[in-house]
């Protein structure tokens, strides 16, 4: 989707370049940044875990919130997956807390079996893994080891990722992304990215988990991305294609089938929609109008149909991200189904086509 993302990406490239230059000057790296549970709740019968700790939790991380998940009757576990970024995880300005992540997980667990995150800085990955264990739940997690044009960023995130998995185990890890659109941002060559993907894959295999897919996400040089990746992970945004929301769901399925599924199948691989969503505010993109009402239309037309078709996808995204105003693009802050205050946006009704909890039918990216 190169053409449809041009305006958005130009803004991001310009801002990231400025930040990276400042970070290098200050000696900083920039980032946008077990034991299986046998007492999981299932959305289908209304049961919710009771908060007993069934796996390792870090005694050095204080937890000051109730670990009981209060069932919300308006929530159903209907999203195949959700994109999630905790608040305040932009290195080095870290401000996230374990308690806040636990409160996020209480919502996420009732909406989806799987989440993907965009980095591991600011302890976000550890807080997620520790929070899952503290709540005594299971969720599939795809962490990203962020890649930009600063080697320090990659080294820091690479080391953090393996430190966290060594401590908390691999039971919840269903994939690992090495970078996100780094080639498109012209921050790394395909050859260097391939080296890093291989480095991560080799270490995961050495740790005893060759079944975990390792990949990168990009919209440039997809032939090389597919070659280096175990699966094809593609951000498919009908909004940036300028599609009318009434056509957005069918456009997404068609684009994904023709450009991802069919291409990956030729080399014996599978594909995943790594992002799909609709902003609730900001400027239009041709026929695509940002609004809460239009997000509702996409939710109604896409989510349950994707489940019916067994199309693996991560809806973008669970919460608004107000920090992205630094890109001078208000639209970038308003992709959440929920506000940054953790409230379902007024006027939205969540889809109702429940999936089983992770480990109780949902066990991977494709099941």
């Amino acid at each position: 989707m190169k053409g449809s993302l041009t305006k958005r990406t130009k803004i991001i490239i310009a801002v990231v370049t400025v930040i990276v230059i400042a970070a290098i000057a200050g000696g900083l790296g920039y980032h946008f940044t077990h034991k299986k549970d046998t007492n999981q709740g299932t959305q289908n019968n209304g049961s919710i875990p009771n908060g007993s700790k069934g796996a390792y939790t870090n005694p050095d991380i204080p937890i000051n919130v109730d670990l009981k998940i209060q069932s919300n009757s308006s929530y159903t576990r209907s999203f195949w997956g959700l994109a999630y970024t905790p608040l305040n995880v932009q290195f080095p300005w870290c401000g996230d807390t374990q308690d806040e992540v636990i409160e996020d997980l209480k919502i996420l667990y009732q909406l989806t079996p799987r989440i993907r995150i965009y980095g591991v800085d600011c302890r976000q990955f550890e807080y997620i893994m520790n929070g899952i264990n503290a709540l005594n739940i299971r969720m599939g997690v795809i962490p990203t080891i962020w890649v930009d044009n600063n080697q320090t960023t990659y080294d820091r995130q690479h080391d953090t990722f393996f430190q966290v998995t060594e401590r908390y185990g691999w039971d919840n890890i269903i994939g690992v992304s090495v970078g996100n659109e780094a080639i498109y941002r012209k921050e790394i060559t395909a050859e260097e990215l391939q080296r890093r993907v291989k480095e991560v894959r080799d270490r995961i295999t050495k740790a005893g988990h060759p079944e975990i897919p390792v990949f990168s996400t990009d919209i440039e040089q997809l032939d090389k991305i597919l070659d280096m990746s175990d699966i094809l992970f593609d951000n498919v945004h009908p909004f940036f294609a300028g599609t009318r929301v009434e056509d957005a769901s069918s456009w997404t399925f068609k684009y994904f089938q023709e450009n991802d599924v069919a291409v990956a199948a030729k080399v014996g691989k599978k594909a995943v929609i790594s992002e799909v969503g609709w902003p609730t505010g900001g400027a239009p993109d041709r026929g695509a109008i940002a609004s809460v009402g239009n997000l509702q239309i996409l939710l109604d037309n896409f989510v349950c149909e994707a489940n019916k078709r067994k199309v693996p996808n991560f809806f973008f995204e669970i919460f608004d991200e107000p920090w992205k105003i630094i890109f001078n693009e208000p639209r970038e802050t308003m992709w959440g189904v929920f506000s940054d205050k953790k409230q379902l946006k007024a006027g939205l009704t969540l889809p109702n086509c429940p999936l089983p909890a992770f480990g109780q039918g949902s066990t991977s990216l494709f099941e």
Side-chain angles (χ1 to χ4, degrees):
M1 294 177 54
K2 292 187 289 187
S4 63
L5 295 179
T6 298
K7 290 192 287 185
R8 179 190 187 203
T9 307
K10 283 183 178 179
I11 295 169
I12 293 174
I13 290 171
V15 176
V16 169
T17 300
V18 172
I19 293 175
V20 168
I21 292 172
I24 292 173
L28 300 170
Y30 174 74
H31 166 54
F32 275 12
T33 294
H34 202 95
K35 180 177 170 183
K36 295 185 179 179
D37 168 28
T38 57
N39 187 30
Q40 305 165 80
T42 64
Q43 197 73 33
N44 296 347
N45 63 19
S47 173
I48 296 292
N50 61 15
S52 62
K53 298 180 181 179
Y56 174 82
T57 53
N58 190 338
D60 296 324
I61 299 178
I63 295 176
N64 302 299
V65 294
D66 184 4
L67 294 177
K68 183 176 177 58
I69 300 176
Q70 299 294 333
S71 179
N72 188 315
S73 60
S74 68
Y75 298 170
T76 66
R77 190 180 290 110
S78 297
F79 292 94
W80 189 280
L82 279 165
Y84 167 52
T85 299
L87 287 177
N88 304 315
V89 292
Q90 287 67 57
F91 184 86
W93 304 281
C94 303
D96 54 326
T97 68
Q98 177 68 87
D99 288 350
E100 289 176 348
V101 170
I102 285 176
E103 293 299 335
D104 292 347
L105 289 170
K106 289 178 181 179
I107 298 173
L108 286 160
Y109 179 74
Q110 296 182 74
L111 298 178
T112 184
R114 310 166 183 86
I115 58 175
R116 69 166 297 204
I117 61 174
Y118 292 86
V120 299
D121 274 336
C122 301
R123 300 188 79 178
Q124 62 177 296
F125 182 36
E126 179 170 21
Y127 287 158
I128 289 167
M129 299 295 281
N130 196 59
I132 286 172
N133 288 351
L135 290 167
N136 194 29
I137 60 177
R138 290 284 310 282
M139 295 189 75
V141 180
I142 296 182
T144 297
I145 298 174
W146 189 259
V147 171
D148 56 22
N149 59 1
N150 190 330
Q151 179 71 37
T152 302
T153 301
Y154 170 74
D155 291 342
R156 182 182 65 248
Q157 296 228 357
H158 170 279
D159 293 349
T160 298
F161 170 78
F162 284 103
Q163 289 165 4
V164 172
T165 52
E166 182 177 357
R167 169 169 283 179
Y168 294 91
W170 298 87
D171 284 359
N172 297 295
I173 307 301
I174 58 174
V176 179
S177 182
V178 182
N180 186 68
E181 297 186 353
I183 292 177
Y184 189 78
R185 296 193 305 272
K186 303 187 186 306
E187 294 179 342
I188 195 171
T189 65
E191 291 71 27
E192 176 59 21
L193 181 60
Q194 184 171 26
R195 186 192 68 77
R196 295 182 185 184
V197 170
K198 182 179 184 302
E199 178 181 53
V200 172
R201 180 186 294 111
D202 287 349
R203 186 160 175 184
I204 291 175
T205 298
K206 187 177 180 180
H209 295 282
E211 77 284 359
I212 294 175
V214 181
F215 45 87
S216 190
T217 308
D218 221 295
I219 56 173
E220 289 280 0
Q221 302 184 46
L222 288 183
D223 55 336
K224 294 181 180 179
I225 291 294
L226 181 57
D227 182 59
M228 72 178 74
S229 299
D230 296 325
I231 59 175
L232 183 57
F233 225 50
D234 190 11
N235 299 338
V236 182
H237 281 292
F239 184 86
F240 290 116
T243 306
R244 294 172 63 252
V245 72
E246 292 82 3
D247 304 320
S249 180
S250 58
W251 180 93
T252 300
F253 290 127
K254 185 175 187 292
Y255 180 95
F256 179 60
Q257 179 63 39
E258 294 178 353
N259 295 276
D260 296 322
V261 174
V263 173
K266 290 179 181 179
V267 291
K269 297 179 180 181
K270 295 182 178 181
V272 176
I273 297 176
S274 46
E275 287 182 8
V276 58
W278 201 272
T280 58
D285 192 323
R286 291 157 288 171
I289 308 299
S291 71
V292 171
N294 283 351
L295 172 57
Q296 182 68 65
I297 291 173
L298 184 63
L299 289 171
D300 290 343
N301 293 346
F302 177 78
V303 175
C304 292
E305 183 62 24
N307 290 347
K308 180 180 177 181
R309 299 187 187 198
K310 298 188 182 299
V311 172
N313 70 90
F314 288 82
F315 205 87
F316 186 84
E317 59 189 322
I318 178 63
F319 301 122
D320 280 346
E321 297 190 71
W323 71 273
K324 288 184 177 178
I325 196 63
I326 65 171
F327 299 141
N328 196 32
E329 171 52 274
R331 189 174 58 198
E332 289 299 312
T333 71
M334 294 182 280
W335 287 75
V337 177
F338 287 64
S339 72
D340 61 302
K341 305 301 182 185
K342 325 296 185 190
Q343 299 298 313
L344 182 65
K345 288 183 177 177
L348 286 184
T349 301
L350 293 169
N352 185 8
C353 43
L355 298 167
F358 187 79
Q360 297 182 343
S362 296
T363 56
S364 73
L365 271 171
F366 302 101
E367 298 178 12

